[in-house]
Amino acid sequence: HTQELGFVVRTDDLAYKDEDVTVDEETFWESIKDSFHKTFVEQKRWQLILSGLLSTLIITVFGFILANVLGAAACAMAMAKSKILKAIASAYSSIMQGTPMVVVLLILYYVIFGHSSLSGTIVAIIGFGLVTGAYMAQLFQGALQGVDKGQIEASLALGFSKAKTFRYIIFPQALRSAITGYFSQIISLLKSTAIVGYIAVNDLTKVGDIIRSSTYESLFPLLSIAIIYFLVAALLLFILRRCLSALAYKRGYKKIKGVSL
């Protein structure tokens, strides 16, 4: 023992405290390494994550393509002169927008395609295409109706055909007003695919849940899934922007005064 200014200090106690801190730090980093090993390395679970990511991308890409087709068709029907076509488009949009996505998937998987040989991935693509297509139809319709009718009438008066009027006057302006919502829809679709585990599809989220239940580790499975979703969303936005910019440049939309992408 040493005594200084009336205080008694046990040097052996200080040594024990330093050793305890060192042991705690080593234990913490060992637990992190062990969690990482269980999540990714053990039983090659990183391959399971890659397969889940592939399923998520397939559903997102093909579901979005189908949504564009259905959305364009529903938009054309809604803007047609036929009351029957308008009624069909209105009913389609109302039903799809008013029903939760997970309910649509369950009805398709267990009722409509319950006795078919379609896989859960195909059913998920159809379900997301149907629901997202209803939102795309309203997006397209709103963008097209937002174009000044005076410009359309002036274009036709100058001798432009309806096809050229749509190509050079209507479409560039509609695209400009709808571009933000268009990007939002694909990101929303990507994040919505997290529920396809309800219909026995091993997507990215479902795979993370399988790993978490097998290893009893939550940090790396959940963190890795969140990071992957973020990176995929950023990549999809980058690709989509590049494609739209290339399309606009190829068709000469940037030459139109007042319209740019």
Side-chain angles (χ1 to χ4, degrees), residues 33-260:
K33 291 179 181 179
D34 183 62
S35 177
F36 182 88
H37 184 272
K38 288 181 178 179
T39 302
F40 300 105
V41 181
E42 191 174 290
Q43 298 182 6
K44 295 182 179 181
R45 291 194 174 98
W46 60 271
Q47 296 180 351
L48 191 62
I49 295 176
L50 287 180
S51 66
L53 174 60
L54 180 61
S55 297
T56 296
L57 290 176
I58 290 174
I59 295 171
T60 300
V61 173
F62 288 98
F64 193 66
I65 293 174
L66 179 59
N68 277 272
V69 175
L70 295 176
C75 176
M77 294 170 64
M79 300 182 68
K81 296 181 179 180
S82 173
K83 292 183 179 181
I84 297 177
L85 294 178
K86 287 184 177 181
I88 295 174
S90 178
Y92 163 69
S93 297
S94 300
I95 293 173
M96 291 297 105
Q97 293 182 14
T99 307
M101 178 72 78
V102 65
V103 176
V104 173
L105 291 178
L106 291 174
I107 292 174
L108 289 174
Y109 188 73
Y110 291 106
V111 180
I112 298 177
F113 299 110
H115 300 288
S116 68
S117 59
L118 289 180
S119 65
T121 301
I122 301 298
V123 174
I125 291 172
I126 296 173
F128 282 106
L130 285 170
V131 176
T132 307
Y135 291 97
M136 297 295 286
Q138 288 194 341
L139 179 65
F140 294 156
Q141 186 177 356
L144 293 174
Q145 291 178 342
V147 179
D148 187 8
K149 293 183 178 180
Q151 297 185 32
I152 301 175
E153 294 175 355
S155 175
L156 295 174
L158 290 173
F160 280 78
S161 63
K162 290 183 178 181
K164 288 186 176 180
T165 299
F166 179 82
R167 177 179 177 181
Y168 293 108
I169 304 298
I170 300 176
F171 184 72
Q173 298 183 63
L175 180 62
R176 185 182 181 185
S177 62
I179 196 81
T180 302
Y182 195 77
F183 289 156
S184 299
Q185 284 299 323
I186 190 171
I187 299 303
S188 177
L189 176 57
L190 170 67
K191 293 186 292 185
S192 297
T193 58
I195 64 174
V196 295
Y198 282 98
I199 57 173
V201 177
N202 289 334
D203 71 311
L204 187 59
T205 303
K206 182 64 175 180
V207 164
D209 190 56
I210 292 173
I211 294 175
R212 184 173 57 83
S213 61
S214 300
T215 62
Y216 298 100
E217 299 287 345
S218 300
L219 175 62
F220 281 108
L222 296 177
L223 184 62
S224 60
I225 289 171
I227 293 174
I228 291 172
Y229 270 117
F230 173 78
L231 294 177
V232 171
L235 179 62
L236 286 176
L237 280 176
F238 174 77
I239 294 174
L240 195 58
R241 286 195 178 103
R242 295 293 295 179
C243 290
L244 290 174
S245 296
L247 178 64
Y249 181 80
K250 182 179 179 180
R251 294 189 175 183
Y253 294 150
K254 288 189 175 182
K255 298 179 181 180
I256 300 176
K257 185 177 182 180
V259 178
S260 59

